[in-house]
Amino acid sequence: MILITGGAGYIGSHTNKALHNAGYDTVVVDNLCKGYENFVKWGNFENYDFGSKDVSEVFEKYDIDGVIHFGAFSSVAESVEFPQKYFKNNYKNTLNLLQVMREYGVDKFILSSTAAVYGNPEHVPITEDQDLKPINPYGHSKFITEKALQREADKGDFNYVSLRYFNAAGCDFDGEIGELHDPETHLIPLILDAAIGKRESISIFGTDYDTPDGTCIRDYIHVNDLADAHVKAYEYLCKENESNIFNLGNGEGYSVREVIDMCKKVTGRDFEVKMDDRREGDPAILIADSTKIREKLGWVPQYDLEQIVESAWKWHERMNVI
Ligand code: UFG
């Protein structure tokens, strides 16, 4: 049985589905502070806070073999405003989960980490061996969590994989689950809100970055490709007695303007685009070099930006009809 924290959230629910399709039993642990119970369509569900000692009851009830830990706050902008909230939930509460795991002899752990651990990278595409210099509290909270996991692995009888996500986007092609944040801060759903008429316009945060069109460049990766990487990472932990860290991105960078243009193309709708100030904590360019996970785990991303936007649009239209 695999325990999935945050499995009622966006990436966690897609991974729960992928694990189910690969034949695994799962139990989702989520306190629903961000997630949705109706996103848990596969496996078991337990409403617990992974930062509470009570979570041990889940380890009592189920025979847990490994933990995939999505539960975290993940907004760069919010982390700049409320750093303590991020260090407490993303770091301190993860230590609680680790302690309970160790008490129950659970030795496999997958962390949702982030490209935000790199800060402003020395070179792009970014390889895993670059210096980690996070420029926002969110990235910093994941950076120190990775360090804690490394120390735990050094002690023995414990292995982890840290997956450093670049920009997760897109939705389940069957439309069973999707991206739903409250408040929404991510670029693609906000653009689609403008396309569907829920917002009057989309604002570009910063047009004076050192990039070809002056807007930030990101590496957008389909959530199903991320989910597949978790299945492969779990299989790796079952087979190999070692820990590892992998980037997860497509290796293609798109500027904010290019993403807006793609959304206009896919939706066939036009909407107002406003120029705004930079958002604090945003690095100019984040593009992954994912060679390591391709070579080590045989992971190959399947979807490009157009397919990402198409799947997100399908979900968006569905959500706004119901
Ligand atoms: N942006 C806008 N206007 C908006 C919203 C976003 O211009 O209304 C810009 C941002 O400034 C940024 C880009 O679009 O340049 C992407 O922003 P998102 O908020 O969608 O995503 P982030 O790059 O800030 O962060 C995401 C995840 C983080 C993760 C990071 C890693 O939310 O958890 O990717 O690359 F750390």
Side-chain angles (χ1 to χ4, degrees):
M1 176 79 67
I2 301 175
L3 188 157
I4 307 175
T5 72
Y10 171 45
I11 307 174
S13 61
H14 285 79
T15 301
N16 187 26
K17 180 172 181 177
L19 286 164
H20 174 83
N21 288 342
Y24 289 100
D25 289 328
T26 58
V27 53
V28 165
V29 169
D30 201 303
N31 66 0
L32 303 179
C33 75
K34 297 276 178 189
Y36 302 90
E37 193 168 348
N38 65 357
F39 275 18
V40 189
K41 294 187 158 65
W42 306 272
N44 306 281
F45 173 64
E46 298 288 346
N47 187 333
Y48 280 88
D49 184 338
F50 64 84
S52 148
K53 295 282 172 214
D54 295 348
V55 77
S56 61
E57 290 168 20
V58 181
F59 288 78
E60 267 314 315
K61 183 168 169 188
Y62 300 90
D63 190 9
I64 307 294
D65 301 301
V67 172
I68 306 185
H69 183 40
F70 295 97
F73 296 137
S74 63
S75 155
V76 168
E78 188 191 43
S79 80
V80 173
E81 204 178 338
F82 303 106
Q84 283 191 34
K85 180 175 169 182
Y86 276 68
F87 285 107
K88 179 170 184 302
N89 195 37
N90 296 1
Y91 177 63
K92 186 167 169 275
N93 289 350
T94 301
L95 296 187
N96 178 68
L97 177 66
L98 264 181
Q99 191 184 338
V100 175
M101 277 179 68
R102 297 293 263 164
E103 280 164 20
Y104 283 83
V106 180
D107 60 359
K108 292 182 272 300
F109 189 88
I110 298 177
L111 176 73
S112 296
S113 188
T114 170
V117 296
Y118 294 109
N120 281 308
E122 285 148 21
H123 57 82
V124 284
I126 304 169
T127 46
E128 290 85 351
D129 55 4
Q130 278 200 36
D131 281 351
L132 305 183
K133 295 178 188 158
I135 60 167
N136 52 60
Y138 170 59
H140 211 128
S141 69
K142 292 289 184 175
F143 164 77
I144 58 175
T145 306
E146 283 193 357
K147 296 296 167 205
L149 290 173
Q150 184 56 55
R151 293 292 180 188
E152 203 63 38
D154 290 346
K155 275 174 51 188
D157 301 322
F158 175 84
N159 286 306
Y160 74 97
V161 167
S162 179
L163 296 175
R164 292 178 181 159
Y165 311 156
F166 282 64
N167 286 56
C171 300
D172 175 42
F173 288 96
D174 304 327
E176 291 187 281
I177 43 179
E179 183 167 16
L180 199 56
H181 298 109
D182 187 19
E184 187 53 80
T185 60
H186 295 93
L187 181 63
I188 292 176
L190 287 177
I191 300 172
L192 298 181
D193 274 348
I196 215 155
K198 257 174 80 179
R199 297 168 61 88
E200 283 184 1
S201 60
I202 182 75
S203 296
I204 299 182
F205 296 148
T207 50
D208 58 349
Y209 284 97
D210 188 13
T211 59
D213 68 15
T215 68
C216 285
I217 293 177
R218 294 288 182 272
D219 180 337
Y220 295 87
I221 172 153
H222 197 284
V223 66
N224 280 1
D225 283 328
L226 284 183
D228 176 45
H230 289 77
V231 177
K232 290 189 163 57
Y234 191 75
E235 285 163 357
Y236 166 82
L237 282 175
C238 291
K239 268 191 272 167
E240 312 284 342
N241 184 25
E242 60 184 31
S243 295
N244 227 320
I245 294 177
F246 300 110
N247 284 339
L248 268 182
N250 269 325
E252 296 264 353
Y254 291 93
S255 72
V256 175
R257 283 187 206 274
E258 287 172 327
V259 176
I260 292 172
D261 289 346
M262 180 60 83
C263 291
K264 287 189 174 180
K265 180 183 158 196
V266 167
T267 63
R269 300 195 183 188
D270 202 10
F271 44 85
E272 191 185 354
V273 178
K274 290 182 175 165
M275 308 306 143
D276 207 338
D277 293 339
R278 289 184 178 200
R279 191 174 67 176
E280 204 185 331
D282 276 345
I285 306 180
L286 291 172
I287 302 172
D289 181 327
S290 298
T291 309
K292 191 175 166 192
I293 189 164
R294 285 170 183 259
E295 289 183 357
K296 195 92 186 164
L297 304 191
W299 173 82
V300 183
Q302 305 292 315
Y303 307 108
D304 61 16
L305 183 66
E306 187 160 2
Q307 292 163 301
I308 287 172
V309 174
E310 278 168 2
S311 64
W313 179 235
K314 207 172 138 189
W315 166 255
H316 223 77
E317 283 190 300
R318 193 188 175 102
M319 287 305 294
N320 287 288
V321 167
I322 294 166

